[in-house]
Every structure is written in structure tokens, then in C-alpha cells.
Amino acid sequence: MNKWIQYSKYSFFSLLVAMLVTGCDRSKYIVLDPKGPVGQQELDLIIISVILCAIIIIPVTAIFVYILIRFRDKPGNNAPYQPEWQDSKVLEIVWWGIPVVIVAILGVYTAKTTINLTKPPVKDVKPVVVQVTSLDWKWLFTYPGQKVATVNYAVIPTGVPIQFVLTSDAPMNSFWVPQLGGQEYTMPGMSMGLWLQADKPGNYFGSGANFTGRGFAHMQFRVKAVSQADFNLWAAGLKKSSPALTKAGYGDLSKPGNVKELSFSSYPKNLYENIVNKNGGIYYHHMHNMGDSMEMQKTTMHKHNH
Amino acid sequence: MNTSGFFVTGDPMIYGADVSIVLATVAIIASLTYLKKWGWLWKEWLTTVDHKKIGIMYLLSALLMLFRGGVDAILMRLQLAVPNNRFLASDHYNEIFTTHGTIMILFMAMPFMFALFNMVVPLQIGARDVAYPALNAISFWFFFIGAMLFNLSFVIGGSADSGWLAYPPLSEDQFSPGPGQNFWIWGIQISGIGSLATGINFIVTILKMRTPSMRLRDMPLFTWSVLSSSIAILGVFPILTVALIMLTIDRLFGGHFFTMDAGGNPMMWVNLIWMWGHPEVYIVVLPAFGVFSEVVATFSKKHIFGYASMVFSMIAIAVVSYYTWVHHFFTMGAGADVNIVFAICTMIIAIPTGVKVFNWLFTMYRGRIRLTQPMLWFCAFVPCFLVGGATGVMLAAAPADYQYHNSYFLIAHFHQVLIGGVVFGYLAGLYYWWPKLFGFKLNDRLGQWGFWLWQIGFYVCFMPQYALGFMGMTRRIYTYNQSAGWNMGWAPLNFISSVGAFIMGLGFIFQVWQILYSIKHGERDTTGDAWDGRTLEWSIPSPPPAYNFAVLPVVHGRDAWWHQKEEMRIEDYKPDPVKYEPIHMPKNTGIPFIMSCFFFVAGFGFTFEWYWMGIIGLIGVAITLFIRSFQYDTDFYIPVDEIERTEKDLRSHGSFHRTAT
Ligand code: HEM
Ligand SMILES: [Cu+2]
Ligand SMILES: [Cu+2]
């Protein structure tokens, strides 16, 4: 029995080590491999939190193992035995104190980053607005500036802050492009803002993160970051070569089902606003980060505007 | 009445379940009849108000549900083991993760916890029963009936598939028509009412039923943990009840509490459900902390270190847990100010939790540590909970959570605290108090196998999931690598994770085997004090007589039994002469069982929107309540000679300590 336990301990630890070693290809860990300032700030916070937590767990684990070995109830163990010892103000102050300090430090960084992310990552470039609507079970992107629309992929210029405004014409979902930064919910009848930015060109994996039913697992999409010039070319190209998204076309699109990537040269005027209002947005009068009118408020884009 | 589509069909697993349900029912009925055990079943179990028996029934149900939830887990891990798998279709997978989550939290963790409450608290505080014995039975039967109703959905009508917290509008009629979601609502509603009653019952029990000489500050820490957990129950279960009623109104009567299109708001549900849901996870973990406090002190042969700070930290956790719920939806756009406040509250709750770990370690320091089974589970808990707690703090940093939210990182985190904290804790409690309730220990060798398989399986299963979170894998997807041509490299880690799930399953099988084996061959305990314990429950015979304490114990300070034993070891110790008095006890009653059967009928009726049936059920509930209010003959006295006989009997066979001294 004991031998078996020994053996299993060894194999278990070697497995852990093996996993760590083989798993070090960083590009696979997209959350840890950001391609823009938002993802980078979030990664920095992740790293800070890991370090602060390690300051606690590593010593505590060591103390635990030490105590466990030192004070085993074995014949001949001559470690001190003090059954009545049950209080020490000094020790208790120490271990209430250390976590308080750690939480204070992490709290400050958290607050800073939280506030930072409500603002465009760079101030001196005019943002691009992309409206995002989650449907059953696909993603619709409309570009109020370019007046084009896409499904299941979005193209964005690099180095430019992108104001994603989000809603849903289906159950609540969540819009997530890990390499650009964290997610935000899409909710029917509401419009929410999320700042993201890509600094390097590339194809970035995106997915719905909040469960919405049968086709949810297939709600993955691509965010393609290209230079500003290529972005302009792309939009102009769509205008020329793609079909228009009509009212009826949108009706079909919003029926449950999965589709491949689609492109449209135009979309019905105020499509996004109408989706929001139809689902209950009319009850929230001053919700104005919806985009088509391009009247974007400057701050609190993470905030509900109702 | 429309019964087309009434029975779920079309899946071999479901036919299998149909057959086994029918066979099991026939077998149970036949053997009860053959052995003439119907009367016994009714008298000893269905009508019992004895907290120990109720505890045992909770325990059995919890283990059964752990099995059911575990099978669900294995099915999910099978499906995710390889990419593009067709083992489970999307709908089926969605039903399974919904039932898995619901069952594990509400029908496994909760009853397991109530099992421990019932098995231990009255014994620890020197009481003969809980404050409201009949209500206690009602609570159990409500839980049981709710769980059965929920489980029935597997073969009748179809299960809920919108997640264990059923966010609208997905859970509304428009997107989830049919009985599945209603099963979820009514199963939880009925058992939730039972849980609320249990919370009230134990608050009153602890405050009012302690043996007169026990002050609050003498109470064992497990009892304190039950008190803090019960206070949290009292605070939040009403929120759950109300939220469920609102969702019922939306679904059955066309209300619009949670749909925007008539001015309601789904975010209101999300807030309400997490105002219950977050404290709920502390409700289930606090008693585990209590268990560990008892286990560590006993098996280190020492007083618990820093009693006051342990009590304070538990109360602090119970209170602060009310103010953290928004961390479940930082990404719902509450605004930076709100997110910061809730992020920091969430981090703050880690402080008292961490302090407890220090106190346990220093309880072991300068002690004499025995690595018995309960202690083994504690030792497994420490590193597991440290890491799980650390990832919790990571999740609490709101902007970082934008990256973890709804990903496998989150799945790994909460399983680490729920399995490492709650399940390990309750298992430690199970091993610790088993000899008290049943009079024998569980076999050590089989237990070791179970333990190590659980440990290895756990890390193999869940560590890769942290990595999967960093690789962008979201939760609740039934397959991957299929759409859009993305190959994210998730396959190897998913495969490893699934292997881990099977190893854990194997561990569970060893534990079941261990129990069955030990019923016959387990080491019998004739002393009543199987572990050289410190608290009052170890001062009476195992299993305890119906009235627990023949004479109410007199305690002077903490660890009452430990100090009494020390006194008894003194050379010229003379036990006080015992003088028995008649003991006042509650009578058994069939009302709780019958009432919950009516509630089952009501729940079933509303699930299928057969209002006539729902109303008949509710009328039945009302009538049984009415009848109960006219029962005046609800208690009796155990006469002195019967107590004398019982005590003599219990103490004669074997070396029970009082006779030994
Ligand atoms: C024993 C081994 C266990 C395994 C292998 C396991 C596995 C899983 C898996 C694969 C999922 C679904 C992930 C997804 O598709 O999103 C899941 C979800 C979940 N599990 Fe477990 N689980 C285990 C034990 C537990 C326990 C003990 C609890 C609670 C005490 C628990 C609570 C949950 C909850 C609340 C969910 C979320 C369900 C939802 O998404 O609605 N699990 N688990
Ligand atoms: Cu909203
Ligand atoms: Cu929480």
C-alpha cells in the first residue's frame, strides 16, 4: 500500500512537470499573448495578481509541509508538544496583517486598470465604431462609419481605438476577443460599449462567451486587423462587390441557425438602434452610445446609459 | 391533458434509465413486501422526527446525488475528450451541464451539509433534538421531493437546458418552452423552502437548545460554522424564493419581470440570482471549515488555535458574502465605480478565509498529528484551497476577470474551491462522525485508495482547465474545432482532463465499496469515543440512543469532553451519581411526508401547466397543515426505568468509558 502511494505521488508530480514543460508555447495561450493595449493592461494585472498570490501560497505551503512532518504522532518524535498553547496575539496580527496589505496593493492596481479600460486606449486617434449584435447563433457587425456589414467576422484598422457597441437580438451573450482584451455582455434592449484596439495586424480568435442555447458552441468569429489603408480598401471593396443586407435579409439572419462568414455592402438605416429599441430599448430614453448618429460620449463607455 | 412527448424517448441512455427506474421500484416494493418491512419503513423512517435518522436520510440522498451528478460530469468529459465528438448532441449536452450544476450544488452539497448539521449539532451542544423536530422532517421531505421532481425530468418531459442559474431571456418561455425549465423552477423552489426552514431551525436550536451550562463562547467551532451558515441561509433563500416566483409568473402567466420588451429587465434576475448564489457558495463552505476545525484539533491533540479569531472570521465571511455578488458579472457593464467596490469586497473576503488556514496550521504546530482518514482529507484540502482561493483573488481583479469570465479558467477555479473545499470537507466530516452515528469505522485501506484516486484525478482533471481558459476555451460548449475552422490546440488538454474525471469516478467507486465493506467488516467502536475526541458528542455511546443524553451534560469551557476525560484520569475521580429524570421527546408524525407528497403533486402539475393538478396539490398542502395545527398530542415522556434499561444496555457490551471509570 505505502509503496503504491509513493509511486502515485511520483507519477503525479512528474505529470505536473510534464504539463508545464510541454505547455510553454506561449502563442497557444492567447490570453497571455495580447496584441493590443487593452489586452496588455489586463495581462499586466493578471501577472501582478499571480505574484501577490504566490507571496502567500508558497510560504504557507512550505510551512504546512514542515509542520506536517515535524509534528507527526510517531513513536520517538521528540518535537515539542504543547496541548494547551492556543493563543498568540503577535502571530495573529501578522497573519491578519499580511493579507490586508496584499489586498490593498491589488485593490489599487485593480481600481486603476478598471478606470483605464473605460477610456479609449489612445487619445489622439479618432476611434472607429463597430456595432455588434449577437444573434441565434451568429455575430452581426455593422459599421456606421463605413455603412457596411459583416457576419461572423470583423475587420478593424490597427493602432486605432475601436469602440465596439454591443447588443443582442437573442438571449444574452458575451463578446470576447482574448488577444485584444476582455469581454462584455451583449444584452437585448441595451447598448453597451467596449474599447479594444489591435496594434499588430493579424487574425484574432473571437467567440461568444455567455451560453445561449443549441448553436452556441459554433458562435466563433474572426477579427481581422489590417492597416488603416487596407481597412479603407476593404470597406470600399465591400461597397462594390457585396450584396446589400435588406430588412428581409436581416429577418432571415436572425432566425436560429449557424452561418459562415458573410459580407454586405449596406444595411437598413438605423438597423442597430431599431434592434435595441425593439427589444426594450425604448424604455430607456437616454441610451445614446448606439453609434449610427456617431454621437459618442467620451467617458464611461462601460457604463449602462440607462 | 396533452401527453404526447410526455415520456422522453429516442436515446438509449434514457431507455436504460427507464428500465432501471422500473426495475428498482419493483425490486424495492417486492422486497419490502416480502420482508414485511412496510411498517418498519413507515414507523422508523418516513415518519421519524429524530434528527439523527433525518441526518442519515440526508446523507444517503446526498451520496446518491453525488453519483448522479458525477455520472453527468463523466458524460460531459467524455463528450469533450476529443474534438468534433458526436457522443452527445448539443441539446443533450446542455441539459447535462444544467442538471450537473443544479444537482451538485442544490441536491448534493446542500443535503450533505444538512446531513452533517443533523448528525452533529444537537450532539455537540448537549441537546436532545433540534428546536422544531417536525419542521426538521418537513425540511427533509421538501428537499427530497424537490430533488425527485427535478430528477424525474430526465425521463419525463425533458430537462432544463439553460444553465444552473437559468439566465433570462434564455430561460423564458420564448427560448425555453416546455416543462424542462419548469421542472428546474419547481424542484428548486420546493427544496429551497425546506432549506430556509432548516436554516431557521438550526439558528433557534443553537441559540436556545444548548445544555444550560454551555455559553456561546464554549461552543464547538463546527456549531459556530453551522450558525453562521444558517444565518446566511436566512438572509438569502427568501431572495431565491421570490426570484423563482417571478420567473414562474413570467413563464406561466405571461409576466415581464425579466424581459425587456415590456419594461422588465433580465439584469434584475442576474442580480437576484447571484444575491442568493454567491452567499450560497459560502453557505456550503462554512460548515466544511467547521468540520476541519474539529478534525484538526482532534487529530493534533490540541486546542484549536485562535478560537476567537476563528469565530470572528466565520461571521465576517457570512456577512461580507452578501456584498460580493456583482463579481459574477463584472462584464455586465455596471460601471467602473461599482466594479471596483465589488472587486475589493471580494478580495476582502479572502482575508478571513486565509486567516483560518493559518489558524489550522498553528493548531497542528506543537501538536501530535495523526493522519487518519478525516485528517488526510484536511491535508488534501489545504493546498487545493490555497490555490483555489488564489485563483479566486485573481478572478476578483475586475479587469482581469474580463478575460477569465465564462472561460475554463473559471470552471477550474470553482471546482477547485467546491471540490477541494466543500466536497473534501464534507468527506472529512463523513469519516469523522461516521463511527458516532453508526458505531463502526470505515475501512482504512479502501479509504486510502479512494482518497488517492480522488487526489490524482482531481489535479489531472482540473489543472489543464486553467490552461484551457488561457487558451480561450469558453465554458458550456459541447464541441470544439468544428466551426469556422479554428484549431486552437485545445484537444490534448481536454483529453487529459477527461482522464482525470474517470480517475475521480474510480475513487468514488472505492468509497462506495468502502462503505459496503465496512458495514460488515468495519472496526466496531464500543467506546463511543472512536478518535479520542474533544467535544460532547463523543461523551455518549455510539450510535446514540434516541434521547442522546440521558442526563444533560455540564460543561465548563471549551472542549468539554476533553477536560472531563482529564478529570476522569485523576486517581480518585468519582463520577457524580447519576439521577435520571423522565425525558420529554417529540412523537413521530406522518404529516411532513404526506404534505410533501402533495407538494410534489403541485409541483408536477405546475411543471406541465396542468393547473387543476397544481391546485389540488396546493390544497392538499394546506389541508395537511391545517390538520397538523389541530394535533395536540405531539410529544411524550420516556420513563426513568426505560432510560435506565437503555443506558445499562448501551454501556454493558464493551468498554464504554463511563462504566470503565
Ligand atoms: C467530481 C468531478 C466533477 C467533474 C469531472 C465536473 C465536471 C464539470 C464539467 C465538465 C462541467 C461543464 C463545463 C461546461 O461545459 O461549461 C461542470 C460544470 C459545473 N460543475 Fe462540475 N464537475 C465535478 C464536480 C462538481 C462538484 C462537486 C460541484 C459542486 C459542488 C460542481 C459544480 C458545477 C457547476 C455549478 C457547474 C456549472 C454548470 C453550468 O455551467 O451551468 N461540479 N462540471
Ligand atoms: Cu444591461
Ligand atoms: Cu461569487
Side-chain angles (χ1 to χ4, degrees):
Chain A
M1 187 66 212
N2 272 335
K3 231 184 187 166
W4 189 85
I5 290 172
Q6 283 298 338
Y7 173 74
S8 55
K9 277 186 211 159
Y10 288 133
S11 51
F12 167 54
F13 284 117
S14 43
L15 201 102
L16 269 186
V17 172
M19 265 165 47
L20 286 176
V21 172
T22 53
C24 268
D25 173 9
R26 183 157 165 217
S27 67
K28 277 204 286 184
Y29 297 93
I30 52 181
V31 170
L32 308 178
D33 185 30
K35 297 289 194 243
V38 176
Q40 186 61 50
Q41 286 182 56
E42 285 162 351
L43 178 61
D44 292 345
L45 187 62
I46 290 175
I47 291 171
I48 291 168
S49 66
V50 169
I51 293 172
L52 288 173
C53 288
I55 291 178
I56 299 258
I57 19 186
I58 294 174
V60 175
T61 313
I63 296 173
F64 173 62
V65 172
Y66 166 75
I67 291 177
L68 202 55
I69 295 171
R70 184 80 177 88
F71 299 99
R72 271 294 284 280
D73 187 16
K74 274 198 294 240
N77 186 350
N78 56 4
Y81 173 51
Q82 285 182 303
E84 297 294 327
W85 183 64
Q86 51 180 315
D87 258 318
S88 159
K89 289 280 161 304
V90 179
L91 282 175
E92 294 217 54
I93 288 170
V94 169
W95 61 62
W96 277 95
I98 296 175
V100 169
V101 172
I102 291 201
V103 163
I105 299 172
L106 187 58
V108 169
Y109 279 109
T110 299
K112 261 195 188 150
T113 316
T114 309
I115 291 166
N116 270 350
L117 295 188
T118 59
K119 301 172 200 148
V122 291
K123 305 274 166 339
D124 43 1
V125 184
K126 191 172 168 331
V128 165
V129 178
V130 182
Q131 298 160 326
V132 182
T133 308
S134 63
L135 299 170
D136 268 344
W137 289 284
K138 54 198 87 72
W139 292 92
L140 170 68
F141 301 93
T142 44
Y143 290 74
Q146 290 65 27
K147 302 274 185 277
V148 296
T150 59
V151 170
N152 285 343
Y153 83 99
V155 177
I156 56 169
T158 52
V160 178
I162 313 293
Q163 167 77 90
F164 286 101
V165 289
L166 315 164
T167 192
S168 176
D169 199 5
M172 205 184 274
N173 209 313
S174 187
F175 173 80
W176 188 29
V177 189
Q179 276 163 297
L180 301 188
Q183 61 194 287
E184 184 82 41
Y185 278 179
T186 63
M187 293 180 285
M190 299 172 228
S191 182
M192 301 237 287
L194 174 68
W195 289 107
L196 293 179
Q197 178 175 322
D199 283 343
K200 298 194 184 71
N203 274 307
Y204 302 123
F205 172 79
S207 70
N210 194 56
F211 178 68
T212 51
R214 190 185 316 131
F216 166 71
H218 307 293
M219 285 185 73
Q220 298 169 343
F221 58 90
R222 183 165 65 98
V223 173
K224 187 175 185 195
V226 296
S227 69
Q228 179 75 53
D230 286 346
F231 175 74
N232 296 343
L233 274 178
W234 166 78
L238 282 201
K239 279 248 152 285
K240 264 190 243 124
S241 60
S242 296
L245 177 62
T246 59
K247 273 217 167 85
Y250 177 75
D252 286 340
L253 207 55
S254 59
K255 288 192 190 119
N258 293 106
V259 298
K260 295 239 148 51
E261 294 184 355
L262 302 171
S263 311
F264 299 101
S265 59
S266 68
Y267 57 87
K269 191 162 169 1
N270 290 333
L271 177 64
Y272 182 86
E273 283 85 340
N274 291 339
I275 292 171
V276 174
N277 285 332
K278 164 184 96 176
N279 288 315
I282 42 167
Y283 296 101
Y284 297 94
H285 299 297
H286 33 267
M287 180 154 46
H288 45 140
N289 64 332
M290 297 211 278
D292 260 17
S293 50
M294 303 293 286
E295 274 173 18
M296 304 205 338
Q297 67 277 60
K298 292 180 187 58
T299 53
T300 60
M301 293 312 283
H302 266 81
K303 202 164 188 146
H304 265 107
N305 298 292
H306 25 88
Chain B
M1 173 192 307
N2 172 20
T3 48
S4 74
F6 186 72
F7 290 104
V8 181
T9 50
D11 188 301
M13 265 185 287
I14 288 169
Y15 293 128
D18 287 337
V19 172
S20 51
I21 288 174
V22 172
L23 285 183
T25 316
V26 170
I28 291 171
I29 293 177
S31 47
L32 281 173
T33 313
Y34 179 74
L35 296 170
K36 302 210 173 59
K37 287 285 191 188
W38 285 105
W40 166 83
L41 183 70
W42 178 257
K43 273 220 277 304
E44 296 287 318
W45 297 98
L46 300 187
T47 62
T48 189
V49 292
D50 181 341
H51 66 94
K52 299 176 287 294
K53 287 188 174 159
I54 290 175
I56 290 171
M57 291 193 289
Y58 269 124
L59 181 65
L60 268 178
S61 330
L63 291 176
L64 258 178
M65 288 295 107
L66 180 59
F67 175 73
R68 160 86 214 261
V71 171
D72 284 342
I74 297 249
L75 292 177
M76 287 189 287
R77 281 314 326 169
L78 260 179
Q79 166 65 16
L80 295 176
V82 290
N84 305 329
N85 198 356
R86 285 170 192 281
F87 171 62
L88 295 177
S90 173
D91 286 335
H92 200 172
Y93 185 87
N94 300 345
E95 290 185 356
I96 290 180
F97 74 65
T98 304
T99 34
H100 166 79
T102 310
I103 284 183
M104 283 300 198
I105 304 270
L106 286 153
F107 301 128
M108 188 286 287
M110 290 297 276
F112 209 145
M113 170 176 98
F114 291 149
L116 295 175
F117 282 24
N118 272 290
M119 286 159 61
V120 181
V121 170
L123 302 182
Q124 272 200 335
I125 59 174
R128 292 195 168 121
D129 209 327
V130 296
Y132 308 113
L135 183 66
N136 198 23
I138 290 178
S139 295
F140 170 75
W141 290 110
F142 274 19
F143 145 72
F144 185 79
I145 264 5
M148 289 303 111
L149 186 64
F150 183 76
N151 275 278
L152 202 62
S153 67
F154 185 58
V155 291
I156 292 180
S159 301
D161 61 357
S162 61
W164 81 284
L165 289 176
Y167 281 13
L170 185 61
S171 59
E172 296 270 3
D173 229 11
Q174 185 192 353
F175 296 104
S176 300
Q181 197 62 48
N182 296 342
F183 268 121
W184 181 89
I185 291 178
W186 286 94
I188 294 179
Q189 185 67 287
I190 296 171
S191 74
I193 295 169
S195 303
L196 179 56
T198 304
I200 295 170
N201 212 338
F202 276 86
I203 292 175
V204 180
T205 301
I206 292 170
L207 294 182
K208 288 287 180 197
M209 304 281 286
R210 292 189 321 270
T211 182
S213 49
M214 182 184 274
R215 300 165 303 178
L216 275 180
R217 64 175 186 273
D218 300 334
M219 266 178 7
L221 282 175
F222 178 72
T223 300
W224 268 112
S225 75
V226 174
L227 183 62
S228 48
S229 168
S230 297
I231 289 172
I233 290 179
L234 186 64
V236 297
F237 267 75
I239 304 177
L240 176 67
T241 305
V242 170
L244 289 172
I245 290 174
M246 289 161 88
L247 189 61
T248 307
I249 292 174
D250 271 15
R251 289 181 57 83
L252 298 192
F253 310 114
H256 285 278
F257 285 114
F258 306 125
T259 53
M260 291 280 295
D261 49 9
N265 197 331
M267 294 194 301
M268 180 153 72
W269 167 272
V270 179
N271 276 285
L272 288 175
I273 199 75
W274 280 115
M275 277 180 206
W276 161 78
H278 183 84
E280 166 67 11
V281 301
Y282 283 95
I283 287 170
V284 292
V285 84
L286 279 168
F289 294 165
V291 170
F292 289 134
S293 302
E294 304 294 332
V295 165
V296 171
T298 300
F299 296 113
S300 307
K301 276 196 160 181
K302 263 187 72 196
H303 281 286
I304 195 82
F305 189 87
Y307 177 91
S309 125
M310 289 299 240
V311 171
F312 175 77
S313 61
M314 284 195 282
I315 307 275
I317 291 171
V319 172
V320 181
S321 76
Y322 286 122
Y323 302 100
T324 62
W325 80 89
V326 172
H327 67 213
H328 295 276
F329 43 91
F330 284 139
T331 60
M332 213 166 70
D337 37 7
V338 175
N339 278 1
I340 291 170
V341 168
F342 280 90
I344 290 176
C345 276
T346 305
M347 294 172 192
I348 285 176
I349 211 170
I351 299 172
T353 313
V355 164
K356 303 185 76 64
V357 176
F358 282 114
N359 279 333
W360 287 316
L361 294 195
F362 278 80
T363 303
M364 295 158 68
Y365 185 71
R366 306 213 156 155
R368 279 292 174 269
I369 302 164
R370 279 181 289 160
L371 284 185
T372 55
Q373 289 185 76
M375 196 61 186
L376 271 184
W377 288 95
F378 168 76
C379 292
F381 154 84
V382 171
C384 194
F385 203 76
L386 279 173
V387 176
T391 54
V393 171
M394 290 168 69
L395 283 155
D401 184 60
Y402 298 164
Q403 290 282 31
Y404 309 130
H405 187 54
N406 278 334
S407 78
Y408 260 75
F409 188 92
L410 170 80
I411 301 276
H413 155 73
F414 77 66
H415 281 95
Q416 195 152 18
V417 286
L418 280 171
I419 297 183
V422 177
V423 177
F424 289 6
Y426 293 177
L427 287 175
L430 172 82
Y431 287 110
Y432 184 58
W433 282 301
W434 186 279
K436 176 81 310 185
L437 262 272
F438 298 98
F440 60 91
K441 286 188 186 175
L442 291 169
N443 177 281
D444 205 50
R445 228 167 68 90
L446 291 170
Q448 292 257 351
W449 278 91
F451 174 80
W452 285 104
L453 288 169
W454 264 96
Q455 295 313 314
I456 295 166
F458 177 82
Y459 287 95
V460 174
C461 182
F462 290 106
M463 293 306 109
Q465 296 186 5
Y466 282 118
L468 282 169
F470 285 134
M471 294 166 100
M473 179 160 165
T474 47
R475 70 194 292 200
R476 296 176 174 178
I477 53 172
Y478 78 103
T479 189
Y480 49 94
N481 272 22
Q482 203 172 46
S483 49
W486 289 96
N487 180 359
M488 307 294 296
W490 298 341
L493 289 176
N494 269 304
F495 185 80
I496 296 175
S497 177
S498 297
V499 172
F502 274 90
I503 300 178
M504 263 186 284
L506 212 58
F508 182 71
I509 291 176
F510 268 95
Q511 291 181 302
V512 173
W513 180 10
Q514 176 193 22
I515 291 177
L516 297 178
Y517 177 88
S518 310
I519 289 175
K520 253 209 137 115
H521 308 287
E523 179 193 332
R524 304 290 130 168
D525 168 50
T526 50
T527 63
D529 189 7
W531 310 109
D532 195 5
R534 314 179 66 84
T535 40
L536 284 181
E537 72 267 33
W538 305 107
S539 68
I540 53 173
S542 308
Y547 48 77
N548 299 348
F549 296 89
V551 195
L552 288 186
V554 179
V555 305
H556 314 279
R558 281 166 220 155
D559 290 1
W561 174 236
W562 182 257
H563 289 303
Q564 200 182 329
K565 281 193 285 190
E566 277 180 343
E567 267 175 34
M568 280 161 32
R569 271 192 286 272
I570 298 170
E571 223 24 83
D572 51 359
Y573 169 77
K574 283 218 187 56
D576 296 336
V578 283
K579 192 170 162 312
Y580 297 128
E581 276 167 26
I583 295 175
H584 183 217
M585 294 295 287
K587 268 190 183 161
N588 283 1
T589 163
I591 293 280
F593 180 71
I594 296 167
M595 181 167 29
S596 39
C597 288
F598 278 118
F599 222 143
F600 182 87
V601 172
F604 193 80
F606 286 121
T607 293
F608 283 90
E609 308 188 16
W610 301 335
Y611 296 111
W612 57 269
M613 191 192 234
I615 288 167
I616 289 178
L618 288 184
I619 291 174
V621 173
I623 290 177
T624 41
L625 267 175
F626 191 69
I627 293 177
R628 173 70 184 171
S629 68
F630 284 99
Q631 282 183 344
Y632 296 113
D633 177 27
T634 56
D635 45 10
F636 69 106
Y637 278 91
I638 306 179
V640 169
D641 55 338
E642 195 185 323
I643 303 171
E644 269 170 0
R645 227 177 314 120
T646 317
E647 289 291 306
K648 217 168 121 200
D649 233 32
L650 282 171
R651 284 153 202 269
S652 64
H653 60 82
S655 57
F656 188 74
H657 35 70
R658 284 223 183 129
T659 46
T661 48

